[in-house]
């Protein structure tokens, strides 16, 4: 009998602090733990007593990589609680801001965190020694996304321009013009990225996942839609907690999330793509099919191609929005505080991000519940490793460890996000 | 002539959102050039490679919130010639320092599914409460060009050029009309450290203090002004208790207005 362990004390090229522990006995896996030791920050606790208008700025600080996602889920949940609906050009501007974040966040992952695995480099900086042009293309593409966020949002990280009801400031059509030029280049670069990523060597690893994503009949989902799955789930955001539950396991400072009836599920680009292929714009659909993908993809290693397709879509969608943009009459709709309960789910780069708030009559937050995408994927990541390791047991310890890390990076896990949600319920008696 | 050895730089993370270290990767135009001048020896968010210390420069993000981290920061200090903290978490405890104002007894009745799995300190504290820090770069998040300036100053052995005056000065320089005087909006600009370029007022809103207190802060005067504008004590407490709530001038001012303290 031989015993073997794979241990990664500190996972690299993920956002936040986590480790991996796999135990094997006679080539069979007996334990897999994605360890999350990122210290908790108790956001749900510290939101209590804050004004509803502060939620977008405070929750943005949960994640420096996807602050827009937190701001979008927060404002939609508050508007839901207070009976306000934001549409027309303000709604379009919110989609535009999200396009910027998807481009920036996905490109960071594609070029700097994930591609080095496929090409055998420790980092994108190492990769740049042999593939300078490619890394430069990635950085410039990432910048095109950041340019949207920093113009419309004020800065790339923790933008300042988002408020409940709309924005603090809106721009003239002419002020957006510099973005159009850079996005036209970016759309081409994204297409090249799809072709580049499609040539990587992918292990055979088709899995039978339950995909969960937002679905909207007329558009690829950002801020609105029903929560659907490929196994018949079809619910409004307000029903989320009836169907999903979180459990606390010892080896993780992030709660594991599961479907009450069926357990682990999959959120993120591959779920979004597989549930919304028909909503992609023609250029993105064509690029996907040309890259050899079907309308559904079940190999998480290929998520790098899907992210590239979503970058292409986001560039295309941002251009559509900018070309038909008319400046809104007012930057925001006035929102008055009131007692209420609000729910929202939006599509963060890494998958659905759920916010739920309860407000008192002055608009003060009584309770908050936030479920980020990475905590929803934790169980699925571990399930992947249970299945992946036995198939690749012949590899050297070093190679197998690296491939296990890669299997985790398939999910672009954001551990900083996932860890801040340990329930902190303060009982006032 | 042999090129001199590149300085070894390490990036470390404590309780934080990752945004400040991401600022380095957000330097799309400068990143490859910067990586020519320094050896990135430890930066897990970007690289699997780990080069052993000692390091010439450590950049530290995040606040201290666990017993384990309170020990880890000392090891990092011992292996670093220079140590610079980046961002509001590392310099002031961050938004997670809001816990520092809660009554201890309130925390007794915290309900976790399994509280014994969690190891956390009562307070979230800045790095400088634990070790000697050579320079503190402010901001939530930091400004990426200030980060490039700090790294470049370090390489060249000079003092970083990061002005410590208030955000008000930045508004005046930009020619932004004062949002507090002209539009009656609450603004923390008069007490907040410069660094963002007075972003919020150019986006039609008051400053909310991302860069923490400026040098020689007159927080009391701002509170009086906010009161004249109609703010009650609760609102003043919330204003000072943001992303730099535990920085001393903001902490003291909020405590003066916090009824729970009286």
């Amino acid at each position: 009998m031989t015993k073997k362990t794979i241990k990664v004390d500190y996972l690299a090229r993920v956002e936040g602090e986590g480790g991996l522990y796999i135990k094997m006995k006679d080539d069979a896996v007996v334990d897999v733990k994605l360890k999350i030791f990122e210290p908790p920050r108790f956001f749900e606790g510290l939101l209590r007593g804050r004004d509803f208008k502060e939620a977008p700025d405070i929750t943005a600080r949960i994640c420096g990589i996807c602050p827009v996602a937190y701001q979008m889920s927060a404002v939609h949940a508050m508007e839901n609680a207070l009976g306000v609906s934001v549409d027309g050009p303000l709604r379009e501007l919110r989609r535009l801001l999200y396009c910027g974040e998807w481009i920036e966040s996905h490109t960071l992952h594609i070029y700097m965190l994930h591609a080095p695995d496929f090409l055998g480099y420790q980092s994108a900086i190492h990769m740049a020694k042999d593939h300078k042009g490619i890394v430069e293309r990635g950085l410039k593409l990432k910048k095109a996304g950041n340019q949207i966020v920093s113009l419309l949002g004020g800065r790339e990280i923790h933008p300042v321009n988002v408020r409940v009801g709309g924005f603090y400031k809106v721009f003239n059509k002419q002020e957006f013009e510099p973005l159009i030029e850079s996005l036209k280049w970016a759309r081409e670069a994204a297409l090249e990225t799809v072709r580049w990523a499609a040539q990587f060597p992918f292990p055979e690893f088709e899995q039978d996942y339950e995909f969960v994503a937002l679905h909207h009949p007329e558009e690829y989902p950002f801020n609105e839609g029903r929560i659907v799955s490929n196994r018949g789930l079809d619910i409004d955001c307000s029903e989320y907690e009836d169907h999903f539950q979180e459990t606390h396991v010892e080896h993780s400072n992030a709660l594991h999330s599961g479907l009450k009836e069926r357990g682990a599920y999959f959120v993120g680009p591959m779920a979004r793509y597989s549930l919304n292929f028909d909503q992609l714009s023609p250029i993105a659909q064509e690029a996907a099919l040309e890259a050899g993908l079907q309308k559904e993809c079940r190999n998480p290693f290929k998520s790098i191609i899907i992210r590239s397709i979503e970058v292409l879509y986001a560039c295309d969608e941002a251009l559509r929005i900018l070309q038909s943009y008319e400046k809104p009459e007012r930057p925001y709709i006035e929102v008055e505080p009131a007692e209420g309960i609000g729910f929202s789910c939006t599509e963060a780069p890494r998958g659905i991000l759920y916010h739920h708030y309860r407000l008192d009559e002055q608009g003060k937050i009584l309770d908050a519940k936030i479920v980020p995408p990475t905590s929803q994927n934790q169980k699925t990541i571990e399930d992947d490793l249970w299945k992946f390791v036995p198939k690749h047991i012949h590899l050297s310890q070093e190679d197998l460890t690296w491939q296990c890390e890669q299997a985790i990076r398939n999910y672009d896990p954001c551990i900083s996000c996932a860890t801040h949600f340990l329930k902190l319920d303060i009982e006032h008696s | 002539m042999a090129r001199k050895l590149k300085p070894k730089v390490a990036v470390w993370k404590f309780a934080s959102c990752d945004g400040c270290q991401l600022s380095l990767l957000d330097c799309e135009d400068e990143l490859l050039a910067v990586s020519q001048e320094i050896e990135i020896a430890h930066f897990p968010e970007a690289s699997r490679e780990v080069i052993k210390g000692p390091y010439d420069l450590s950049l530290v993000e995040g606040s201290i919130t666990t017993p384990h981290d309170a020990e880890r920061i000392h090891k990092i200090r011992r292996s670093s010639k220079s140590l610079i903290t980046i961002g509001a978490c590392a310099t002031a405890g961050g938004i997670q320092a809001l816990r520092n104002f809660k009554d201890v007894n309130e925390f007794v009745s915290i309900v976790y599914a399994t509280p014994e799995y969690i190891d956390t300190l009562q307070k979230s504290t800045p790095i400088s409460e634990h070790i000697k820090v050579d320079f503190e770069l402010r901001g939530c998040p930091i400004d990426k060009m200030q980060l490039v300036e700090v790294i470049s100053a370090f390489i060249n052995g000079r003092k970083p050029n990061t002005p410590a005056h208030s955000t008000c000065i930045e508004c005046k320089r930009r020619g932004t009309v004062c949002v507090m005087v002209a539009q009656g909006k609450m603004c923390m600009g008069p007490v907040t450290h410069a660094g963002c370029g007075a972003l919020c007022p150019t986006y039609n809103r008051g400053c909310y203090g991302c860069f923490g207190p400026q040098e020689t802060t007159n927080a009391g005067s701002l509170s009086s002004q906010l009161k004249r504008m109609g703010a009650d004590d609760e609102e003043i407490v919330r204003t000072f208790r943001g992303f730099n709530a535990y920085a001393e001038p903001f902490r003291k001012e909020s405590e003066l207005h916090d009824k729970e303290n009286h």
Side-chain angles (χ1 to χ4, degrees):
Chain A
M1 193 176 75
T2 55
K3 281 188 186 171
K4 191 175 169 185
T5 55
I6 295 175
K7 242 179 94 191
V8 181
D9 290 332
Y10 198 115
L11 282 165
R13 281 193 263 120
V14 300
E15 293 98 5
E17 299 183 283
L20 170 65
Y21 176 81
I22 299 175
K23 195 169 154 192
M24 285 172 293
K25 209 189 256 178
D26 294 335
D27 290 354
V29 177
V30 292
D31 198 13
V32 173
K33 285 192 178 103
L34 177 62
K35 293 186 167 185
I36 291 192
F37 44 83
E38 171 94 18
R41 292 194 289 152
F42 310 112
F43 271 89
E44 289 160 323
L46 58 85
L47 280 162
R48 289 187 181 188
R50 304 297 298 211
D51 190 81
F52 76 98
K53 291 184 189 136
E54 295 182 289
D57 290 324
I58 293 178
T59 59
R61 268 65 182 188
I62 290 165
C63 180
I65 331 288
C66 60
V68 170
Y70 283 90
Q71 295 190 330
M72 288 297 112
S73 283
V75 294
H76 284 90
M78 291 305 175
E79 287 156 13
N80 179 250
L82 299 167
V84 172
S85 171
V86 174
D87 47 25
L90 289 173
R91 183 182 188 277
E92 290 277 273
L93 284 176
R94 286 178 166 177
R95 280 183 72 81
L96 177 65
L97 189 64
Y98 234 140
C99 286
E101 179 159 286
W102 278 24
I103 297 169
E104 163 272 311
S105 171
H106 277 356
T107 307
L108 171 76
H109 191 258
I110 295 164
Y111 281 89
M112 311 202 70
L113 310 183
H114 211 192
D117 283 332
F118 291 98
L119 300 174
Y121 294 96
Q122 299 286 336
S123 75
I125 291 163
H126 293 89
M127 197 164 91
K129 285 176 189 139
D130 300 329
H131 303 279
K132 190 155 183 256
I134 286 175
V135 175
E136 281 173 346
R137 180 180 70 199
L139 287 167
K140 194 172 165 192
L141 182 55
K142 179 169 168 300
K143 188 177 171 185
N146 268 336
Q147 278 173 326
I148 299 177
V149 182
S150 48
L151 176 61
L152 179 55
R155 62 185 171 199
E156 297 96 329
I157 300 168
H158 307 328
V160 302
N161 195 19
V162 173
R163 63 181 287 167
V164 179
F167 293 89
Y168 288 92
K169 177 183 178 177
V170 285
F171 294 87
N172 297 320
K173 201 173 169 81
Q174 298 89 299
E175 290 171 284
F176 279 130
E177 253 157 39
L179 292 183
I180 294 184
E181 279 318 298
S182 87
L183 281 164
K184 281 184 180 161
W185 174 87
R187 187 167 55 184
E188 285 308 306
L191 197 53
E192 288 166 28
T193 304
V194 175
R195 291 172 184 149
W196 173 63
Q199 294 168 18
F200 291 157
F202 297 103
E204 288 282 327
F205 194 67
E206 310 288 325
Q207 300 300 307
D208 187 21
Y209 298 116
E210 177 154 5
F211 288 134
V212 175
L214 287 187
H215 178 78
H216 188 284
E218 282 133 42
E219 60 195 21
Y220 203 70
F222 281 110
N223 287 313
E224 287 168 37
R226 288 176 70 79
I227 302 171
V228 302
S229 88
N230 52 339
R231 295 200 187 137
L233 185 76
D234 183 359
I235 58 169
D236 183 73
C237 300
S238 59
E239 299 168 279
Y240 181 91
E241 287 165 61
D242 299 335
H243 295 269
F244 296 87
Q245 67 183 6
E246 293 176 289
T247 46
H248 188 188
V249 298
E250 187 169 6
H251 63 272
S252 173
N253 284 355
L255 298 174
H256 275 207
S257 183
L259 271 157
K260 283 182 181 170
E261 289 173 359
R262 297 182 292 276
Y265 60 101
F266 188 118
V267 302
M270 205 162 82
R272 230 162 19 220
Y273 170 89
S274 299
L275 294 166
N276 294 284
F277 181 87
D278 292 339
Q279 278 71 29
L280 283 169
S281 58
I283 187 175
Q285 288 185 348
E286 281 163 31
L289 300 174
E290 188 205 321
L293 292 180
Q294 311 291 312
K295 289 185 176 186
E296 186 184 77
C297 176
R298 294 176 167 277
N299 182 347
F301 289 88
K302 291 189 177 172
S303 64
I304 190 167
I305 314 176
I306 311 257
R307 273 185 206 94
S308 309
I309 287 161
E310 286 198 336
V311 173
L312 173 61
Y313 171 76
C315 293
D316 197 39
E317 175 69 358
L319 279 167
R320 181 195 68 74
I321 293 167
L322 287 170
Q323 277 156 351
S324 61
Y325 173 73
E326 294 295 335
K327 187 180 177 179
E329 280 174 29
R330 285 177 310 166
Y332 60 92
I333 297 167
E334 201 65 62
V335 183
E336 295 299 328
E339 202 175 335
I341 297 178
F343 306 89
S344 116
C345 210
T346 73
E347 283 284 359
R350 291 157 192 79
I352 54 170
L353 168 59
Y354 172 77
H355 284 216
H356 165 194
Y357 300 99
R358 194 161 61 89
L359 306 176
D360 72 8
E361 66 280 2
Q362 283 141 13
K364 245 203 273 175
I365 298 170
L366 297 170
D367 291 303
K369 183 181 171 77
I370 298 173
V371 186
T374 295
S375 69
Q376 303 181 68
N377 276 336
Q378 275 184 105
K379 186 79 180 62
T380 305
I381 297 173
E382 289 184 351
D383 286 354
D384 275 6
L385 290 165
W386 278 97
K387 290 171 194 148
F388 184 80
V389 172
K391 285 189 181 171
H392 298 85
I393 202 81
H394 57 279
L395 293 172
S396 70
Q397 176 89 3
E398 199 190 326
D399 288 349
L400 184 56
T401 303
W402 192 333
Q403 291 222 353
C404 287
E405 288 177 43
Q406 186 178 352
I408 295 170
R409 283 192 283 269
N410 286 337
Y411 289 80
D412 187 8
C414 185
I415 295 171
S416 303
C417 278
T419 307
H420 306 132
F421 302 97
L422 289 167
K423 256 280 193 248
L424 180 92
D425 284 331
I426 302 163
E427 273 184 359
H428 298 277
S429 51
Chain B
M1 199 176 82
R3 201 180 150 81
K4 69 172 185 182
L5 276 176
K6 290 192 220 171
K8 277 166 80 175
V9 176
V11 182
W12 308 94
K13 181 184 183 324
F14 290 83
S16 67
C17 77
D18 262 28
C20 290
Q21 53 176 314
L22 179 71
S23 300
L24 198 55
L25 301 179
D26 271 352
C27 296
E28 290 100 356
D29 295 331
E30 299 82 14
L31 183 67
L32 293 180
V34 170
S35 70
Q36 297 292 311
E37 300 301 320
I38 58 175
E39 180 180 21
I40 297 177
H42 180 276
F43 186 7
E45 181 165 308
S47 179
R48 290 182 85 232
E49 187 177 50
V50 176
I51 298 170
K52 279 193 178 160
Y55 306 101
D56 295 297
L57 173 64
S58 276
L59 300 172
V60 177
E61 172 192 281
S63 68
I64 304 295
T65 61
T66 66
H68 173 256
D69 279 353
E71 300 229 341
R72 186 161 66 99
I73 190 63
H74 284 278
K75 284 187 198 154
I76 291 169
R77 175 71 264 190
R78 283 197 293 273
S79 64
S80 312
K81 274 191 207 161
S82 294
L83 186 146
I84 294 173
T85 56
I86 55 171
C89 297
T91 58
I95 186 75
Q96 58 273 21
L98 290 180
R99 74 166 83 171
N100 302 6
F101 299 94
K102 292 280 174 184
D103 186 341
V104 178
N105 294 325
E106 266 186 301
F107 276 75
V108 177
S109 45
I110 289 169
V111 181
Y112 291 119
T114 328
E116 58 270 27
Y117 292 169
I118 302 300
D119 204 7
T120 192
L121 295 170
Q122 189 68 75
K123 284 191 162 69
S124 165
T125 44
I127 301 299
S128 61
E129 270 199 23
H130 300 263
I131 55 158
K132 177 180 170 286
V133 170
D134 298 300
F135 184 78
E136 293 186 312
L137 184 62
R138 310 287 204 90
C140 180
I142 55 169
D143 178 85
K144 67 181 184 185
M145 293 324 292
Q146 284 203 337
L147 178 63
V148 173
E149 161 61 16
V150 166
I151 294 174
S152 149
F154 167 80
I155 293 170
N156 295 298
R158 61 173 174 82
K159 191 174 175 284
N161 178 17
T162 52
H165 54 234
S166 73
T167 306
C168 274
I169 310 280
E170 296 191 301
C171 256
K172 303 295 166 285
R173 281 207 176 134
R174 278 180 89 139
T176 306
V177 175
C178 179
V179 294
M180 189 145 67
V181 173
Q183 300 173 39
K185 287 179 180 158
M186 298 200 187
C187 180
M188 291 186 78
V191 297
T192 300
H193 194 287
C196 66
L199 204 51
C200 284
T202 67
Y203 278 76
N204 299 332
R205 69 180 289 195
C207 163
Y208 61 96
C210 299
F211 280 66
Q214 64 153 142
E215 273 183 353
T216 60
T217 319
N218 189 349
S221 172
L222 179 65
S223 291
S224 313
Q225 170 66 12
L226 297 180
K227 278 210 163 154
R228 277 196 292 276
M229 292 167 70
D232 57 15
D233 275 334
E234 216 182 286
E235 215 165 340
I236 291 173
V237 170
R238 271 207 313 267
T239 302
F240 284 99
R241 285 188 191 162
F243 308 103
N244 290 277
Y246 203 59
E248 193 177 301
F250 288 2
R251 179 176 78 212
K252 286 192 168 158
E253 189 60 24
S254 77
E255 280 166 352
L256 284 176
H257 298 268
D258 187 353
K259 288 188 190 76
E260 284 176 30
N261 282 341
H262 301 303

